[in-house]
Amino acid sequence: MATLTQDQLLDAIGAMTLVEVSDFVKKFEDKFGVTAAAPVAAAAAAAPAAGAAPAAAAEEEQTEFSAVLTEIGPNKIPVIKVVRELTGLGLKEAKDVVDAAPKPVKEGIARDEAEKIKAALEEQGAKVEIK
């Protein structure tokens, strides 16, 4: 079996159609058990030289987190108020989030923002996980 260099691999990917690249990425994810993040995939499509970016993304640290409300605790109304403050949701929407626990309060946020959400909700007696 001939070994391809990185340049040869990039040339081969560059010659593919978008459908073929999409199929390739799916097969790559399945074979190696990784997921190509959407921003990385968009950057790879915009710059063909970044074809190795999905593999590098799997080795990087997680940059987007979700604050998930796991338990409401004894103070439901204060928890609803905090969820409204943190998310900008209306009263009914915030209540629906709290009633549907375990449910993400916010997704795709930075680690420090997730920590702030966790602290604010735990102050009211709720339990929050950062994923």
Side-chain angles (χ1 to χ4, degrees):
M1 181 173 163
T3 303
L4 295 175
T5 66
Q6 291 179 357
D7 290 332
Q8 291 171 328
L9 186 58
L10 289 174
D11 289 341
I13 292 172
M16 293 179 177
T17 65
L18 288 177
V19 173
E20 291 171 330
V21 172
S22 176
D23 290 340
F24 172 76
V25 170
K26 288 177 188 173
K27 288 179 183 178
F28 186 91
E29 291 173 344
D30 291 342
K31 182 168 183 161
F32 296 105
V34 296
T35 304
V40 173
E59 298 173 12
E60 293 178 9
E61 290 185 30
Q62 183 178 353
T63 58
E64 291 186 351
F65 298 88
S66 296
V68 180
L69 178 65
T70 56
E71 290 183 32
I72 301 168
N75 304 321
K76 182 177 179 178
I77 293 173
V79 170
I80 293 171
K81 288 180 181 179
V82 171
V83 169
R84 283 187 69 198
E85 282 178 29
L86 296 172
T87 61
L89 295 173
L91 180 60
K92 182 184 180 333
E93 292 83 7
K95 182 181 180 296
D96 290 344
V97 168
V98 172
D99 287 340
K103 179 146 178 112
V105 176
K106 261 189 166 177
E107 297 177 301
I109 55 175
R111 176 76 148 166
D112 59 336
E113 185 178 352
E115 292 290 344
K116 289 177 187 175
I117 290 171
K118 180 177 180 177
L121 287 169
E122 287 182 345
E123 209 171 275
Q124 302 302 324
K127 291 187 181 177
V128 178
E129 286 183 9
I130 296 176
K131 296 184 179 182

